[in-house]
PDB file of all heavy atoms in Angstrom:
ATOM      1  N   GLU Y1536     -17.130  23.324 -44.041  1.00  0.00           N
ATOM      2  CA  GLU Y1536     -16.958  23.615 -42.624  1.00  0.00           C
ATOM      3  C   GLU Y1536     -18.253  24.178 -42.028  1.00  0.00           C
ATOM      4  O   GLU Y1536     -18.766  25.192 -42.495  1.00  0.00           O
ATOM      5  CB  GLU Y1536     -15.832  24.627 -42.430  1.00  0.00           C
ATOM      6  CG  GLU Y1536     -15.609  25.038 -40.993  1.00  0.00           C
ATOM      7  CD  GLU Y1536     -14.439  25.991 -40.838  1.00  0.00           C
ATOM      8  OE1 GLU Y1536     -13.703  26.194 -41.818  1.00  0.00           O
ATOM      9  OE2 GLU Y1536     -14.265  26.536 -39.734  1.00  0.00           O
ATOM     10  N   PRO Y1537     -18.797  23.540 -40.982  1.00  0.00           N
ATOM     11  CA  PRO Y1537     -19.996  24.093 -40.342  1.00  0.00           C
ATOM     12  C   PRO Y1537     -19.622  25.313 -39.504  1.00  0.00           C
ATOM     13  O   PRO Y1537     -18.552  25.363 -38.898  1.00  0.00           O
ATOM     14  CB  PRO Y1537     -20.470  22.935 -39.455  1.00  0.00           C
ATOM     15  CG  PRO Y1537     -19.209  22.184 -39.124  1.00  0.00           C
ATOM     16  CD  PRO Y1537     -18.322  22.306 -40.337  1.00  0.00           C
ATOM     17  N   VAL Y1538     -20.502  26.296 -39.481  1.00  0.00           N
ATOM     18  CA  VAL Y1538     -20.209  27.513 -38.716  1.00  0.00           C
ATOM     19  C   VAL Y1538     -21.331  27.787 -37.734  1.00  0.00           C
ATOM     20  O   VAL Y1538     -22.500  27.513 -38.021  1.00  0.00           O
ATOM     21  CB  VAL Y1538     -20.011  28.726 -39.637  1.00  0.00           C
ATOM     22  CG1 VAL Y1538     -18.755  28.562 -40.484  1.00  0.00           C
ATOM     23  CG2 VAL Y1538     -21.222  28.956 -40.532  1.00  0.00           C
ATOM     24  N   PRO Y1539     -21.007  28.331 -36.560  1.00  0.00           N
ATOM     25  CA  PRO Y1539     -22.053  28.698 -35.597  1.00  0.00           C
ATOM     26  C   PRO Y1539     -22.902  29.840 -36.139  1.00  0.00           C
ATOM     27  O   PRO Y1539     -22.462  30.620 -36.986  1.00  0.00           O
ATOM     28  CB  PRO Y1539     -21.250  29.156 -34.363  1.00  0.00           C
ATOM     29  CG  PRO Y1539     -19.839  28.686 -34.590  1.00  0.00           C
ATOM     30  CD  PRO Y1539     -19.650  28.609 -36.066  1.00  0.00           C
ATOM     31  N   TRP Y1540     -24.120  29.934 -35.617  1.00  0.00           N
ATOM     32  CA  TRP Y1540     -25.017  31.013 -36.020  1.00  0.00           C
ATOM     33  C   TRP Y1540     -24.387  32.379 -35.783  1.00  0.00           C
ATOM     34  O   TRP Y1540     -24.634  33.331 -36.529  1.00  0.00           O
ATOM     35  CB  TRP Y1540     -26.315  30.889 -35.228  1.00  0.00           C
ATOM     36  CG  TRP Y1540     -27.324  31.927 -35.548  1.00  0.00           C
ATOM     37  CD1 TRP Y1540     -27.563  33.092 -34.879  1.00  0.00           C
ATOM     38  CD2 TRP Y1540     -28.234  31.899 -36.648  1.00  0.00           C
ATOM     39  NE1 TRP Y1540     -28.580  33.776 -35.492  1.00  0.00           N
ATOM     40  CE2 TRP Y1540     -29.006  33.073 -36.572  1.00  0.00           C
ATOM     41  CE3 TRP Y1540     -28.472  30.992 -37.680  1.00  0.00           C
ATOM     42  CZ2 TRP Y1540     -30.006  33.366 -37.499  1.00  0.00           C
ATOM     43  CZ3 TRP Y1540     -29.468  31.283 -38.596  1.00  0.00           C
ATOM     44  CH2 TRP Y1540     -30.217  32.453 -38.505  1.00  0.00           C
ATOM     45  N   VAL Y1562     -25.539  29.671 -46.144  1.00  0.00           N
ATOM     46  CA  VAL Y1562     -24.420  29.016 -45.462  1.00  0.00           C
ATOM     47  C   VAL Y1562     -24.905  27.772 -44.718  1.00  0.00           C
ATOM     48  O   VAL Y1562     -24.228  27.277 -43.816  1.00  0.00           O
ATOM     49  CB  VAL Y1562     -23.681  29.966 -44.488  1.00  0.00           C
ATOM     50  CG1 VAL Y1562     -22.817  30.932 -45.242  1.00  0.00           C
ATOM     51  CG2 VAL Y1562     -24.643  30.710 -43.577  1.00  0.00           C
ATOM     52  N   SER Y1563     -26.078  27.269 -45.081  1.00  0.00           N
ATOM     53  CA  SER Y1563     -26.532  26.012 -44.503  1.00  0.00           C
ATOM     54  C   SER Y1563     -25.680  24.879 -45.055  1.00  0.00           C
ATOM     55  O   SER Y1563     -25.216  24.934 -46.197  1.00  0.00           O
ATOM     56  CB  SER Y1563     -28.011  25.767 -44.835  1.00  0.00           C
ATOM     57  OG  SER Y1563     -28.170  25.461 -46.206  1.00  0.00           O
ATOM     58  N   MET Y1564     -25.469  23.859 -44.238  1.00  0.00           N
ATOM     59  CA  MET Y1564     -24.681  22.715 -44.697  1.00  0.00           C
ATOM     60  C   MET Y1564     -25.328  22.066 -45.908  1.00  0.00           C
ATOM     61  O   MET Y1564     -24.647  21.663 -46.858  1.00  0.00           O
ATOM     62  CB  MET Y1564     -24.549  21.699 -43.566  1.00  0.00           C
ATOM     63  CG  MET Y1564     -23.485  22.035 -42.539  1.00  0.00           C
ATOM     64  SD  MET Y1564     -21.811  21.955 -43.249  1.00  0.00           S
ATOM     65  CE  MET Y1564     -21.643  20.190 -43.503  1.00  0.00           C
ATOM     66  N   ARG Y1626     -37.954  25.811 -41.501  1.00  0.00           N
ATOM     67  CA  ARG Y1626     -37.102  25.867 -40.310  1.00  0.00           C
ATOM     68  C   ARG Y1626     -37.810  25.264 -39.099  1.00  0.00           C
ATOM     69  O   ARG Y1626     -37.189  24.535 -38.309  1.00  0.00           O
ATOM     70  CB  ARG Y1626     -36.718  27.330 -40.036  1.00  0.00           C
ATOM     71  CG  ARG Y1626     -35.838  27.540 -38.804  1.00  0.00           C
ATOM     72  CD  ARG Y1626     -34.479  26.877 -38.967  1.00  0.00           C
ATOM     73  NE  ARG Y1626     -33.770  27.368 -40.111  1.00  0.00           N
ATOM     74  CZ  ARG Y1626     -32.976  28.448 -40.109  1.00  0.00           C
ATOM     75  NH1 ARG Y1626     -32.807  29.146 -39.013  1.00  0.00           N
ATOM     76  NH2 ARG Y1626     -32.339  28.818 -41.202  1.00  0.00           N
ATOM     77  N   THR Y1698     -27.350  23.009 -30.501  1.00  0.00           N
ATOM     78  CA  THR Y1698     -26.714  24.279 -30.828  1.00  0.00           C
ATOM     79  C   THR Y1698     -27.412  24.843 -32.056  1.00  0.00           C
ATOM     80  O   THR Y1698     -28.231  24.159 -32.670  1.00  0.00           O
ATOM     81  CB  THR Y1698     -25.208  24.094 -31.086  1.00  0.00           C
ATOM     82  OG1 THR Y1698     -24.575  25.368 -31.216  1.00  0.00           O
ATOM     83  CG2 THR Y1698     -24.951  23.287 -32.348  1.00  0.00           C
ATOM     84  N   LEU Y1699     -27.116  26.075 -32.385  1.00  0.00           N
ATOM     85  CA  LEU Y1699     -27.812  26.714 -33.499  1.00  0.00           C
ATOM     86  C   LEU Y1699     -26.852  26.953 -34.646  1.00  0.00           C
ATOM     87  O   LEU Y1699     -25.780  27.533 -34.489  1.00  0.00           O
ATOM     88  CB  LEU Y1699     -28.419  28.044 -33.051  1.00  0.00           C
ATOM     89  CG  LEU Y1699     -29.456  28.670 -33.987  1.00  0.00           C
ATOM     90  CD1 LEU Y1699     -30.630  27.729 -34.207  1.00  0.00           C
ATOM     91  CD2 LEU Y1699     -29.951  29.996 -33.425  1.00  0.00           C
ATOM     92  N   MET Y1700     -27.253  26.460 -35.828  1.00  0.00           N
ATOM     93  CA  MET Y1700     -26.527  26.690 -37.069  1.00  0.00           C
ATOM     94  C   MET Y1700     -27.462  27.366 -38.061  1.00  0.00           C
ATOM     95  O   MET Y1700     -28.664  27.438 -37.815  1.00  0.00           O
ATOM     96  CB  MET Y1700     -26.019  25.356 -37.642  1.00  0.00           C
ATOM     97  CG  MET Y1700     -24.825  24.773 -36.911  1.00  0.00           C
ATOM     98  SD  MET Y1700     -24.322  23.179 -37.630  1.00  0.00           S
ATOM     99  CE  MET Y1700     -24.001  23.640 -39.348  1.00  0.00           C
ATOM    100  N   PRO Y1701     -26.937  27.868 -39.158  1.00  0.00           N
ATOM    101  CA  PRO Y1701     -27.820  28.473 -40.164  1.00  0.00           C
ATOM    102  C   PRO Y1701     -28.920  27.527 -40.648  1.00  0.00           C
ATOM    103  O   PRO Y1701     -29.988  27.981 -41.060  1.00  0.00           O
ATOM    104  CB  PRO Y1701     -26.858  28.834 -41.286  1.00  0.00           C
ATOM    105  CG  PRO Y1701     -25.570  29.104 -40.583  1.00  0.00           C
ATOM    106  CD  PRO Y1701     -25.516  28.088 -39.476  1.00  0.00           C
ATOM    107  N   ASP Y1702     -28.688  26.208 -40.597  1.00  0.00           N
ATOM    108  CA  ASP Y1702     -29.717  25.240 -40.967  1.00  0.00           C
ATOM    109  C   ASP Y1702     -30.860  25.221 -39.960  1.00  0.00           C
ATOM    110  O   ASP Y1702     -31.970  24.847 -40.293  1.00  0.00           O
ATOM    111  CB  ASP Y1702     -29.136  23.823 -41.021  1.00  0.00           C
ATOM    112  CG  ASP Y1702     -27.948  23.694 -41.918  1.00  0.00           C
ATOM    113  OD1 ASP Y1702     -26.869  24.192 -41.555  1.00  0.00           O
ATOM    114  OD2 ASP Y1702     -28.069  23.088 -42.980  1.00  0.00           O
ATOM    115  N   GLY Y1703     -30.558  25.554 -38.710  1.00  0.00           N
ATOM    116  CA  GLY Y1703     -31.495  25.397 -37.612  1.00  0.00           C
ATOM    117  C   GLY Y1703     -30.799  24.653 -36.482  1.00  0.00           C
ATOM    118  O   GLY Y1703     -29.579  24.754 -36.310  1.00  0.00           O
ATOM    119  N   VAL Y1704     -31.568  23.873 -35.731  1.00  0.00           N
ATOM    120  CA  VAL Y1704     -31.004  23.135 -34.605  1.00  0.00           C
ATOM    121  C   VAL Y1704     -30.051  22.055 -35.105  1.00  0.00           C
ATOM    122  O   VAL Y1704     -30.377  21.273 -36.004  1.00  0.00           O
ATOM    123  CB  VAL Y1704     -32.122  22.510 -33.747  1.00  0.00           C
ATOM    124  CG1 VAL Y1704     -31.530  21.546 -32.717  1.00  0.00           C
ATOM    125  CG2 VAL Y1704     -32.929  23.600 -33.059  1.00  0.00           C
ATOM    126  N   ALA Y1705     -28.859  22.030 -34.522  1.00  0.00           N
ATOM    127  CA  ALA Y1705     -27.868  20.991 -34.768  1.00  0.00           C
ATOM    128  C   ALA Y1705     -27.386  20.519 -33.400  1.00  0.00           C
ATOM    129  O   ALA Y1705     -27.942  20.920 -32.368  1.00  0.00           O
ATOM    130  CB  ALA Y1705     -26.720  21.530 -35.616  1.00  0.00           C
ATOM    131  N   PHE Y1706     -26.345  19.690 -33.382  1.00  0.00           N
ATOM    132  CA  PHE Y1706     -25.911  19.133 -32.109  1.00  0.00           C
ATOM    133  C   PHE Y1706     -24.396  19.164 -31.985  1.00  0.00           C
ATOM    134  O   PHE Y1706     -23.678  18.816 -32.922  1.00  0.00           O
ATOM    135  CB  PHE Y1706     -26.446  17.706 -31.937  1.00  0.00           C
ATOM    136  CG  PHE Y1706     -27.941  17.666 -32.021  1.00  0.00           C
ATOM    137  CD1 PHE Y1706     -28.565  17.364 -33.221  1.00  0.00           C
ATOM    138  CD2 PHE Y1706     -28.719  17.990 -30.934  1.00  0.00           C
ATOM    139  CE1 PHE Y1706     -29.946  17.372 -33.331  1.00  0.00           C
ATOM    140  CE2 PHE Y1706     -30.103  18.003 -31.019  1.00  0.00           C
ATOM    141  CZ  PHE Y1706     -30.714  17.697 -32.222  1.00  0.00           C
ATOM    142  N   ILE Y1717     -19.611  18.051 -34.673  1.00  0.00           N
ATOM    143  CA  ILE Y1717     -20.828  18.808 -34.934  1.00  0.00           C
ATOM    144  C   ILE Y1717     -21.706  17.932 -35.823  1.00  0.00           C
ATOM    145  O   ILE Y1717     -21.270  17.465 -36.880  1.00  0.00           O
ATOM    146  CB  ILE Y1717     -20.533  20.147 -35.636  1.00  0.00           C
ATOM    147  CG1 ILE Y1717     -19.684  21.042 -34.740  1.00  0.00           C
ATOM    148  CG2 ILE Y1717     -21.839  20.841 -36.017  1.00  0.00           C
ATOM    149  CD1 ILE Y1717     -20.360  21.467 -33.456  1.00  0.00           C
ATOM    150  N   ILE Y1718     -22.932  17.707 -35.383  1.00  0.00           N
ATOM    151  CA  ILE Y1718     -23.879  16.880 -36.124  1.00  0.00           C
ATOM    152  C   ILE Y1718     -24.987  17.784 -36.652  1.00  0.00           C
ATOM    153  O   ILE Y1718     -25.694  18.422 -35.877  1.00  0.00           O
ATOM    154  CB  ILE Y1718     -24.495  15.789 -35.228  1.00  0.00           C
ATOM    155  CG1 ILE Y1718     -23.382  14.932 -34.588  1.00  0.00           C
ATOM    156  CG2 ILE Y1718     -25.459  14.919 -36.024  1.00  0.00           C
ATOM    157  CD1 ILE Y1718     -23.891  13.986 -33.511  1.00  0.00           C
ATOM    158  N   SER Y1719     -25.108  17.854 -37.963  1.00  0.00           N
ATOM    159  CA  SER Y1719     -26.175  18.662 -38.563  1.00  0.00           C
ATOM    160  C   SER Y1719     -27.010  17.789 -39.490  1.00  0.00           C
ATOM    161  O   SER Y1719     -26.543  16.755 -39.985  1.00  0.00           O
ATOM    162  CB  SER Y1719     -25.595  19.865 -39.308  1.00  0.00           C
ATOM    163  OG  SER Y1719     -24.624  19.465 -40.254  1.00  0.00           O
ATOM    164  N   TRP Y1742     -15.891  26.666 -33.251  1.00  0.00           N
ATOM    165  CA  TRP Y1742     -16.772  26.169 -32.200  1.00  0.00           C
ATOM    166  C   TRP Y1742     -16.103  26.206 -30.843  1.00  0.00           C
ATOM    167  O   TRP Y1742     -16.790  26.237 -29.813  1.00  0.00           O
ATOM    168  CB  TRP Y1742     -17.234  24.758 -32.540  1.00  0.00           C
ATOM    169  CG  TRP Y1742     -18.078  24.752 -33.764  1.00  0.00           C
ATOM    170  CD1 TRP Y1742     -17.649  24.609 -35.052  1.00  0.00           C
ATOM    171  CD2 TRP Y1742     -19.478  24.952 -33.841  1.00  0.00           C
ATOM    172  NE1 TRP Y1742     -18.699  24.705 -35.927  1.00  0.00           N
ATOM    173  CE2 TRP Y1742     -19.848  24.913 -35.211  1.00  0.00           C
ATOM    174  CE3 TRP Y1742     -20.479  25.149 -32.874  1.00  0.00           C
ATOM    175  CZ2 TRP Y1742     -21.166  25.057 -35.633  1.00  0.00           C
ATOM    176  CZ3 TRP Y1742     -21.790  25.294 -33.297  1.00  0.00           C
ATOM    177  CH2 TRP Y1742     -22.115  25.254 -34.655  1.00  0.00           C
TER     178      TRP Y1742
END
Side-chain angles (χ1 to χ4, degrees):
E1536 178 177 351
V1538 293
W1540 180 263
V1562 285
S1563 71
M1564 280 293 290
R1626 179 64 58 87
T1698 188
L1699 194 59
M1700 285 179 58
D1702 305 72
V1704 170
F1706 302 96
I1717 297 296
I1718 304 170
S1719 54
W1742 295 90

